[in-house]
Amino acid sequence: MAPIPLQRDTVQRPGTIRAGYAHGPRLASRTSLPGIPLAPSAARRFVRAALAEWTGLGVPAAVGFSDRLADDAVTVTNELVTNAVVHAGTTVDLVLRLEEEGDDEPTAALVLEVTDHHPARPVSGDEPEPGPEPGAAVAGELPDPAEYGRGLQLVATLADSWGITYRTGLKTVWARLPVDDWSAPPSPPDGEALRRGLRAAEILAPAARRTERDDAVWDSRGAPAFLAEASDLLAGQLDEDLVAAIAGQLLVPRLADWCAIWLETEGGGPAAEPRLARVWHSDETGTEPLRTALENTPPRLPAGAGSGPVPVPVPWPAPPADRPAEAGEPAEAGEAPSPYPGGRDGAALAFRITAGGRALGTVLVGREGVAQVPEAVASLIEDFVRRLGLAVGAARAYTRQATISRILQRGLLPSKVAEIPGVTSALVYEPSDDGVVGGDFYDIFPCPGDRWCFVLGDVQGSGPEAAVVTGLARPWLRLLSREGFGVGEVLDRLNRLLLDDAMEAAEAAALMVAAAGGQQLHDGTQSRFLSLLYGEVVPLPDGGVRCTVASAGHPLPLLLRPDGSVRPAAEPQVLLGVVEDVAYESQTFGLAPGDTLLCVTDGVTERRSGPLMFDDGDGLARVLAGCAGLPAEATAERIRRAVHEFAEQPPDDDVALLVLHAE
């Protein structure tokens, strides 16, 4: 990867404003985004909404905000917010500012600032750097490529200048984009109209501090839109802690000043204590005090309480009656600090999280400085908690299924593979990340007669049914191989076993596993097809090995010679488990020192990028040809990397490949 371009110097002239450090009145829009994967898309919507609003207000002339500027601003915002989410994981503050430079010819620049709150981020030196802007990163400083990757290369290309400002507990990355054809606005813009226009990112981008909320908006128009958006956000998550995090940021500050979410321990029994999964406060400084007040006192709801609101006391003492405290008010001299977050009494409601008739947890919400939560708001939160329960239930079902899949996967694959004398081997096995056990399997094992056998197979489909077939096929292969049958005969007998009544046991076991994991099965009577590449290796006295292989409906193995030539090393034959009267044949060839044999599953050859597949036009053979002279590990890694780089999306099928290299 090429080095990241250096930050460009920003010349500071009298009467100008340096990007990232302007002071005084200016047109600006800001928002706060949760540190979740959805934040970059919300940031993109926010920037486009702000630019569109400014253009509509005549600030500046529409010709100044070209489509190119808008696209550049959205691209830079996406890169900076993505970096903050991935590498900090905290709330991300986004500021979009329009700055005018007072020169003879007025000019303007669009400045983007993205700030994260990671407490472990280093500060640039113990003391401020000399210069007009203490704490600012020195222009020309080279960031760590491992942390920023290619994103800042793109930012440096699009921006007129950019930089990094470190402060204690904060890191701000800013970028300055020049505005073409700028003409200063004749009068200040209507700030109220601007605030009304910035609604695009509202669901994911609430203000970081307490907002003035209008409960009247939760009528027939506002409530359904909020619930629909919340359902989309919650339903797409497969981790219950992330569901709780999103729920907290949806509730605060729109409907409440603070909230806490407890989740019951799954399978923990009646004596198990719920765990505090999420605490959120409209004032970030109140989050930790609120957590301290709540972590040992989960709300206890009556046994007969349904899904409706249950009034509960606020979880901290009320202020003295003779001197009610206000939020953020400092304590009098000699008085102990306020023991409750926010410094005000208020009202709190508890809601039980349920799904399928089971209690999954509790949501506690509160408002400060009020006697009770409005009935319309309480009803809306109740509807929201129902959706939260469905999302938590779905996440737990996925987690159960993924756990079963991981256990099955570990049991289906060998704990270690044998080492073949005179041959180095390399394996790549990457199951698809869909929460179900895959159908790919592999094995290398010794056999009597100074033979070593290798297997690469793929059961049709995935999930418990495929897992059971894999669990039968691999030991059958070992048994048949050690009985002394030839390569073709092993496949003949395995084919008859797959078609035999023994498969009924496989289907019955699959049904039991699926019932435990909640996986929906197809018709249990359908056949289980198996593609298989099976071979044996015999070391030769003069060096090299003799290899015999047979392919049953499997991608053909490829033989690479030291001169870079590549050819198939087997003939195509029918899948196992399809028809009875099949006589499988094998091919024998020599692997001389320097030769390489590559075996893959269809997760490699059928890897898609739009309408194209990885092996179209002998794509796999072309990549393998470039591996001449490489050892087995390097060849496997180059093939694996080429498969991943073929498309932007991760593979949607298991990826398995085996490389044998004769020494």
Side-chain angles (χ1 to χ4, degrees):
M1 183 177 69
I4 297 175
L6 298 178
Q7 302 172 33
R8 305 175 194 172
D9 290 324
T10 303
V11 179
Q12 195 160 8
R13 306 184 303 272
T16 68
I17 301 174
R18 184 178 178 185
Y21 305 98
H23 300 280
R26 56 182 177 267
L27 185 62
S29 297
R30 65 190 68 239
T31 188
S32 182
L33 301 163
I36 61 175
L38 296 171
S41 62
R44 295 194 299 269
R45 295 197 303 270
F46 179 84
V47 169
R48 288 201 183 275
L51 295 181
E53 183 69 22
W54 292 354
T55 301
L57 293 172
V59 186
V63 67
F65 278 175
S66 63
D67 291 340
R68 181 191 61 80
L69 177 64
D71 291 341
D72 289 353
V74 168
T75 300
V76 170
T77 300
N78 182 75
E79 295 297 334
L80 297 184
V81 173
T82 299
N83 268 350
V85 170
V86 170
H87 300 296
T90 67
T91 299
V92 179
D93 298 328
L94 170 62
V95 177
L96 181 68
R97 187 171 64 249
L98 189 63
E99 293 184 347
E100 180 183 359
E101 295 186 347
D103 215 341
D104 294 336
E105 295 292 332
T107 60
L110 192 63
V111 178
L112 295 159
E113 293 182 354
V114 174
T115 302
D116 67 60
H117 299 254
H118 198 296
R121 287 295 172 202
V123 177
S124 184
D126 296 331
E127 298 296 334
E129 299 271 349
E133 300 299 340
V138 179
E141 181 179 316
L142 187 64
D144 179 6
E147 182 177 358
Y148 295 96
R150 299 182 177 87
L152 285 187
Q153 293 189 49
L154 184 59
V155 172
T157 300
L158 297 177
D160 177 64
S161 58
W162 66 275
I164 305 174
T165 300
Y166 291 98
R167 300 179 181 89
T168 303
L170 297 175
K171 179 173 74 21
T172 299
V173 184
W174 56 266
R176 181 183 186 278
L177 305 175
V179 178
D180 300 328
D181 300 327
W182 159 258
S183 59
S187 60
D190 182 356
E192 181 60 30
L194 177 61
R195 285 191 293 274
R196 288 198 305 268
L198 300 177
R199 300 290 187 183
E202 183 178 357
I203 284 294
L204 275 181
R209 297 290 184 262
R210 179 180 293 112
T211 60
E212 294 297 329
R213 63 174 66 86
D214 182 3
D215 290 331
V217 304
W218 304 116
D219 53 16
S220 58
R221 292 173 289 111
F226 170 78
L227 291 174
E229 192 77 22
S231 297
D232 288 343
L233 294 173
L234 294 173
Q237 310 307 320
L238 299 176
D239 179 87
E240 63 180 64
D241 287 319
L242 184 55
V243 170
I246 294 175
Q249 294 172 59
L250 287 167
L251 289 171
V252 178
R254 295 175 191 83
L255 301 174
D257 290 314
W258 55 266
C259 78
I261 300 175
W262 286 265
L263 294 177
E264 301 286 346
T265 303
E266 190 171 15
E273 288 291 328
R275 64 182 180 88
L276 186 57
R278 186 66 177 177
V279 174
W280 197 256
H281 200 289
S282 58
D283 184 343
E284 290 180 0
T285 62
T287 299
E288 287 308 314
L290 178 60
R291 180 183 296 277
T292 301
L294 294 174
E295 57 187 358
N296 295 320
T297 56
R300 304 291 182 181
L301 300 184
S307 60
V310 177
V312 296
V314 293
W316 49 81
D322 59 342
R323 193 185 66 81
E326 294 297 328
E329 178 185 354
E332 296 290 340
E335 184 179 342
S338 174
Y340 42 90
R344 298 193 295 182
D345 196 3
L349 296 175
F351 299 81
R352 178 164 286 156
I353 307 172
T354 61
R358 299 179 56 193
L360 302 180
T362 305
V363 174
L364 182 64
V365 298
R367 286 197 176 186
E368 297 175 344
V370 298
Q372 65 179 18
V373 178
E375 183 177 350
V377 173
S379 177
L380 178 58
I381 297 176
E382 180 181 352
D383 286 342
F384 173 83
V385 172
R386 290 194 188 98
R387 288 158 172 79
L388 173 60
L390 294 175
V392 172
R396 290 192 169 184
Y398 174 85
T399 300
R400 287 193 298 270
Q401 178 175 297
T403 301
I404 291 174
S405 295
R406 285 193 296 270
I407 294 172
L408 284 174
Q409 200 84 60
R410 286 197 298 267
L412 296 175
L413 299 175
S415 57
K416 64 178 182 178
V417 296
E419 294 183 2
I420 305 173
V423 174
T424 58
S425 62
L427 275 163
V428 171
Y429 178 70
E430 297 178 345
S432 62
D433 189 20
D434 57 4
V436 298
V437 64
D440 289 10
F441 65 97
Y442 60 85
D443 203 356
I444 302 177
F445 54 92
C447 287
D450 199 26
R451 298 178 299 128
W452 278 261
C453 296
F454 61 91
V455 178
L456 195 60
D458 185 4
V459 179
Q460 172 219 5
S462 59
E465 296 166 288
V468 172
V469 176
T470 302
L472 293 173
R474 195 167 66 84
W476 281 342
L477 276 166
R478 285 199 171 204
L479 178 62
L480 293 170
S481 301
R482 288 168 176 168
E483 287 296 315
F485 295 110
V487 172
E489 293 175 302
V490 169
L491 296 190
D492 290 342
R493 284 162 173 76
L494 181 59
N495 183 55
R496 287 197 292 270
L497 284 168
L498 289 171
L499 291 166
D500 196 12
D501 290 341
M503 287 308 298
E504 294 181 4
E507 298 293 351
L511 288 169
M512 295 175 62
V513 173
Q519 167 122 358
Q520 183 67 35
L521 290 180
H522 301 293
D523 180 7
T525 62
Q526 69 178 359
S527 300
R528 295 285 102 192
F529 304 145
L530 172 64
S531 77
L532 189 74
L533 182 67
Y534 170 69
E536 67 175 28
V537 173
V538 178
L540 299 176
D542 298 330
V545 297
R546 184 178 71 249
C547 186
T548 303
V549 298
S551 175
H554 203 81
L556 299 181
L558 298 178
L559 178 60
L560 170 66
R561 299 295 188 186
D563 61 1
S565 61
V566 177
R567 70 170 180 85
E571 297 293 333
Q573 298 178 86
V574 69
L575 286 163
L576 295 169
V578 179
V579 293
E580 289 190 31
D581 298 328
V582 180
Y584 288 94
E585 298 181 353
S586 61
Q587 287 76 41
T588 301
F589 53 91
L591 274 182
D595 288 347
T596 297
L597 185 68
L598 172 65
C599 312
V600 302
T601 59
D602 60 7
V604 173
T605 56
E606 296 180 6
R607 165 85 156 124
R608 287 193 170 273
S609 177
L612 303 177
M613 290 195 298
F614 182 73
D615 200 34
D616 286 347
D618 295 326
L620 179 59
R622 290 199 306 273
V623 176
L624 180 60
C627 300
L630 296 179
E633 289 285 354
T635 299
E637 174 59 23
R638 181 170 293 189
I639 300 295
R640 186 201 67 82
R641 189 168 61 247
V643 170
H644 279 269
E645 293 175 351
F646 183 69
E648 293 184 2
Q649 299 299 321
D652 57 4
D653 193 6
D654 299 348
V655 172
L657 62 93
L658 168 64
V659 177
L660 301 177
H661 180 75
E663 295 292 342

